[in-house]
Amino acid sequence: MISLIAEHLPAFLDFSPGPVEEIRVFFAPGRVNLMGEHTDYNGGYVLPAALALGTYLFVRPQPGSRVRFASSSFSKVVDGQLDSLQYQSEQDFANYPLGMLSELQNKGYELSKGAAGDYYFVGNLPHGAGLSSSASVEVVTGYAASRLLNALIDKADIAVMAQAAENHFVGVNCGIMDQFSVAMGKAHHALSLQCDTLEYAYVPIALEGVTLVLANTNKPHSLVESKYNERRSECDRALEDLHRAGLTYPNLAAISVEEFAQVVQCFSSEVVRRRARHVVFENHRAKHAPRLLEQGDAATFGQWMHDSHVSLRDDYEVTGEELDALAQAAWSVPGCLGSRMTGAGFGGSTVSLVRTDCVSDFMETVGRVYRERIGYDASFYQTDIGDGVRELTKEAWLS
Ligand code: GLA
């Protein structure tokens, strides 16, 4: 971490010349979701964890109302004024911090009282891997601005504002899972979150001798957003069908596994019925999986990961051949306790539980099978479960 900051400091000083002492550095992680996919916008449970990889943000506060954004991954510098923050597609990555600042202003925070200045982003999350790099950028910006203003905004509230920024400013209709886990994550713990009430609990990941391995399909991004929105409207339709039948469920996750058999005739099409079935069973897994983690029952947890992937493949239809190739190859490797896609799907990454002594064989075998089947390489990451958004003290990086 310190070496990464030292490595990028010269580029920041090029972008924003001035005394090093004025600089503040913040970090927000990416996330991996262990269980509960496409349940967040259906009012259900999710079980994500924050990664040690994420987004570093260097800020030099400046008087006035000018904000400038740059990133080590893009050549563009975006210049704005706090009283006219607007979405423009050519602003690229800068739309995420702009959206976050705009949302803070909507909530009444006066950003010109300390949060104007130069913002420089350095990310070490793999791009397009479905590990929430955009939520990481939004949340780190919101947290940094709140600290620059000396405003004590709860991290959970920053997450809610970041989701609003993504929904209304950037125009992506995501749920709350990514922003919440990036803001609230805790090292060595998963976060069991009920997305309707935002009640949460930290669950220790006590899996002795087991390593979490992420595998990125490296599939070029395509249609993720439109397919995601399609699934959301199919879920809306499923709920309307239930309401039309006189059932008053507030959301699909409110249906229990037992009740599902009784309401199954209410759905107006086979597709809608399958989407609802995924949500009900996936929510059941996400709600009860924390118990397995606490008991260190990696074998059952792994079986549920398998069931989750199959449900996302067959009922929710968000996997695609790249994610299926990775998961299927993983299931047959000795020492792999479970594997599933993580995040929205349609590309992105899988997460696998692998016995630590089998990790290199796992990466070798799954990598080879994937290349043979898909024609290009997957990338593998072993990353720790880290803390949520925070400021890095000057003592930690300025030595
Ligand atoms: C994306 C969204 C989340 C969630 C997942 C699917 O990551 O941003 O809100 O819906 O997909 O579980």
Side-chain angles (χ1 to χ4, degrees):
M1 161 192 99
I2 306 300
S3 63
L4 190 137
I5 294 172
E7 182 190 331
H8 289 276
L9 195 55
F12 176 73
L13 290 170
D14 253 7
F15 161 64
S16 177
V20 170
E21 293 68 33
E22 286 174 8
I23 303 170
R24 308 223 357 215
V25 181
F26 301 85
F27 173 79
R31 67 95 189 92
V32 57
N33 187 23
L34 302 177
M35 198 68 75
E37 224 62 82
H38 293 275
T39 45
D40 61 350
Y41 54 82
N42 285 301
Y45 281 84
V46 291
L47 189 62
L51 301 173
L53 301 172
T55 310
Y56 293 83
L57 167 58
F58 297 67
V59 190
R60 182 190 303 285
Q62 306 269 23
S65 62
R66 184 180 184 198
V67 276
R68 295 195 313 138
F69 304 97
S71 155
S72 62
S73 323
F74 297 87
S75 51
K76 182 170 284 187
V77 172
V78 171
D79 217 318
Q81 289 294 330
L82 286 173
D83 54 7
S84 60
L85 303 178
Q86 263 163 18
Y87 178 88
Q88 284 169 25
S89 58
E90 62 275 17
Q91 288 171 163
D92 273 326
F93 79 95
N95 283 311
Y96 296 100
L98 280 164
M100 186 71 228
L101 295 184
S102 162
E103 189 57 32
L104 281 163
Q105 293 198 134
N106 294 344
K107 288 279 175 303
Y109 293 99
E110 290 187 59
L111 299 187
S112 55
K113 296 190 169 160
D118 298 336
Y119 288 69
Y120 185 78
F121 298 86
V122 177
N124 60 1
L125 280 167
H127 270 293
L131 302 174
S132 294
S133 50
S134 48
S136 173
V137 168
E138 288 153 3
V139 168
V140 78
T141 305
Y143 185 73
S146 76
R147 299 313 304 132
L148 296 170
L149 294 173
N150 279 322
L152 291 176
I153 312 179
D154 201 280
K155 288 181 183 176
D157 292 335
I158 291 179
V160 171
M161 285 190 255
Q163 184 203 11
E166 179 127 1
N167 291 169
H168 306 129
F169 192 94
V170 181
V172 174
N173 208 10
C174 64
I176 187 65
M177 170 172 75
D178 301 348
Q179 289 79 7
F180 204 91
S181 46
V182 160
M184 301 287 288
K186 181 169 166 181
H188 315 300
H189 288 73
L191 181 74
S192 172
L193 173 68
Q194 210 296 330
C195 297
D196 208 21
T197 59
L198 298 189
E199 277 169 45
Y200 66 92
Y202 292 112
V203 186
I205 303 182
L207 303 175
E208 207 54 27
V210 173
T211 299
L212 279 184
V213 181
L214 302 176
N216 181 4
T217 58
N218 289 320
K219 181 184 181 181
H221 249 280
S222 62
L223 295 177
V224 179
E225 228 177 274
S226 63
K227 287 281 172 197
Y228 186 88
N229 288 338
E230 188 180 289
R231 291 298 172 277
R232 286 198 69 148
S233 23
E234 286 161 350
C235 290
D236 291 345
R237 210 170 321 142
L239 194 60
E240 280 160 28
D241 288 344
L242 295 171
H243 290 170
R244 205 166 305 122
L247 300 163
T248 55
Y249 291 108
N251 52 51
L252 293 184
I255 309 169
S256 70
V257 162
E258 296 72 31
E259 285 162 355
F260 188 74
Q262 291 149 28
V263 304
V264 74
Q265 300 306 336
C266 300
F267 299 112
S268 53
S269 77
E270 163 66 13
V271 167
V272 165
R273 183 176 69 79
R274 282 192 285 120
R275 304 299 189 245
R277 185 167 62 183
H278 165 74
V279 174
V280 170
F281 282 79
E282 181 74 354
N283 185 53
H284 178 84
R285 281 185 286 269
K287 182 174 178 181
H288 297 289
R291 182 170 40 85
L292 302 177
L293 278 188
E294 273 157 3
Q295 293 166 349
D297 184 354
T300 311
F301 194 91
Q303 179 59 45
W304 287 18
M305 290 173 86
H306 169 276
D307 299 348
S308 166
H309 187 93
V310 168
S311 175
L312 288 156
R313 183 190 68 194
D314 299 344
D315 276 350
Y316 218 65
E317 296 182 279
V318 292
T319 55
E321 64 170 328
E322 296 82 1
L323 286 166
D324 289 341
L326 283 179
Q328 222 172 336
W331 294 335
S332 60
V333 174
C336 174
L337 301 161
S339 184
R340 64 186 285 279
M341 57 154 270
T342 187
F346 315 105
S349 300
T350 58
V351 54
S352 307
L353 290 188
V354 186
R355 271 205 355 241
T356 306
D357 55 338
C358 299
V359 168
S360 15
D361 283 351
F362 173 87
M363 296 195 297
E364 210 275 313
T365 310
V366 176
R368 180 172 37 76
V369 173
Y370 185 78
R371 191 179 326 110
E372 279 164 15
R373 196 163 147 192
I374 303 297
Y376 52 82
D377 283 326
S379 320
F380 294 87
Y381 302 84
Q382 295 170 63
T383 141
D384 294 330
I385 300 305
D387 284 316
V389 68
R390 57 197 181 266
E391 179 163 11
L392 306 178
T393 58
K394 285 220 172 49
E395 297 72 53
W397 64 270
L398 189 62
S399 46

